[in-house]
Amino acid sequence: MADVISLRALNRATLARQMLLAREQVSVAEAVERLCGMQAQGPKPPFLGLWTRVAGFEAALLHASLQERSVVRATMMRGTLHLMSARDYGALRASMQPMLDAGLRMLGSRAEGLELDKVLPAARVLLEERPRTFNELRALLQEEFPEVNDRALGFSVRMCLPLVMVPTEDRWAFPRTSEFTLADVWLGEPPSDDSSADALVLRYLAAFGPASVADAQEWSGLPKLGEVLERLRPQLRTFEDEKGRELFDLPNAPRPEEDTPAEARFLPEFDNLVLAHADRSRVIAAAHRPLLTTKNLRVRATFLWDGFAAGLWELERKRKVATLRLRPFGKLPKRALNALTAEGERLLGFAEPDAAERQVVLADE
């Protein structure tokens, strides 16, 4: 019979793997690898996410890792942009392809006349010439395939060709309209063609376990991972959560005691900590989960107190004044407010170093 693992123990296990119990002395590439990627729908959030996890992190370190090509920004889990280590991207990209192919169904009638065996080679030729924005790439492909919807042309290339975004000297490493290039050109070798999801699932458990089949599917966007976990079962350890669900984990992965201290932490928008499980109660209460996502599907920034999401936060800059505004889900004890204020002031120092005045306030102030 599987051991039962409590909700708080699940919380501490996940925080330990996500480097949120204590900042750790690791390189940027090592951090991104341990996290099994960082959601990067916008260019700024990964900088904040690394600051909250890596001891002594400075923005220049991520800039350097991107320029040195040890870290890339590319389409991966759930068909969304992620920062990945170059090594993980090369090893895991092919396992994403079935999910990315399935995403083409979103095109519906716009896919009429779309022939991937012609469009993808044409796109490769254009991208081998030089990096291009998708606006530019769509326009060039439309000239070659005038009868096909231009959005269908661009979306199919984004989903079916391994591409990476080209970093720049912009403050957060990527401009609003970024250029893309072929992954094999940028990294000097093509991604592995091994489409097995075994390695992906093991990497997921290392970063987010213990976890259920549904959790792994939610994080990756891939279906039928139960078959993979059954195949891997002999090398895994199993638990049962307080709701009776089976959870899988690596035998020697960290599982701290449930009373392990967890300090105040700020997570950026789209952080995978709040997205990586079907049942997210290990991080956020069910009553608060609907507050995470805006009507246009942005995932709001959260702050943690005692390991759990205790509210939302936003950063506002007006002239020389930078304000971090806390929106707690409920009344915070004074000790929590003091700790969050101190941590928020440190975050403001990182995010807005040239502000003449920095302040952390409650939303109703």
Side-chain angles (χ1 to χ4, degrees), residues 217-232:
Q217 292 176 166
E218 181 78 11
W219 168 79
S220 65
L222 290 167
K224 300 181 179 179
L225 291 184
E227 300 170 5
V228 176
L229 282 159
E230 281 302 322
R231 186 163 59 246
L232 295 172

Side-chain angles (χ1 to χ4, degrees), residues 107-262:
L107 292 172
S109 61
R110 290 178 296 173
E112 185 177 348
L114 179 66
E115 298 180 70
L116 292 180
D117 59 342
K118 295 180 180 178
V119 171
L120 298 183
R124 278 199 66 92
V125 170
L126 292 170
L127 289 164
E128 283 172 344
E129 291 175 358
R130 61 179 178 81
R132 300 180 188 274
T133 68
F134 259 89
N135 286 339
E136 181 184 7
L137 186 61
R138 278 194 301 267
L140 291 170
L141 288 172
Q142 184 83 88
E143 292 177 7
E144 194 163 346
F145 304 98
E147 303 303 317
V148 182
N149 180 279
D150 68 323
R151 293 288 166 177
L153 291 168
F155 188 66
S156 63
V157 171
R158 185 187 294 269
M159 300 295 268
C160 298
L161 276 186
L163 306 176
V164 300
M165 299 178 78
V166 179
T168 66
E169 297 302 319
D170 283 62
R171 183 182 181 193
W172 304 116
F174 297 93
R176 182 178 296 275
T177 303
S178 294
E179 293 183 332
F180 287 75
T181 191
L182 296 162
D184 55 341
V185 171
W186 186 253
L187 296 175
E189 60 181 6
S192 166
D193 60 3
D194 181 3
S195 60
S196 164
D198 291 29
L200 179 76
V201 168
L202 292 172
R203 298 284 291 107
Y204 169 70
L205 293 177
F208 293 102
S212 68
V213 172
D215 291 331
Q217 292 176 166
E218 181 78 11
W219 168 79
S220 65
L222 290 167
K224 300 181 179 179
L225 291 184
E227 300 170 5
V228 176
L229 282 159
E230 281 302 322
R231 186 163 59 246
L232 295 172
R233 184 183 289 272
Q235 58 185 286
L236 299 175
R237 185 173 173 186
T238 58
F239 296 88
E240 188 176 289
D241 71 9
E242 293 175 344
K243 300 174 183 177
R245 288 174 293 203
E246 185 178 40
L247 306 178
F248 296 84
D249 204 7
L250 305 181
N252 299 318
R255 287 180 290 273
E257 295 295 325
E258 64 176 38
D259 59 355
T260 301

Side-chain angles (χ1 to χ4, degrees), residues 349-362:
F350 170 78
E352 299 292 343
D354 62 339
E357 182 181 346
R358 306 185 193 104
Q359 56 187 4
V360 179
V361 301
L362 286 172

Side-chain angles (χ1 to χ4, degrees), residues 16-37:
R17 299 166 204 210
Q18 287 289 298
M19 298 189 289
L20 289 166
L21 290 180
R23 287 182 170 88
E24 302 198 23
Q25 295 277 1
V26 293
S27 71
V28 167
E30 289 173 314
V32 173
E33 229 169 63
R34 282 181 54 178
L35 299 171
C36 201

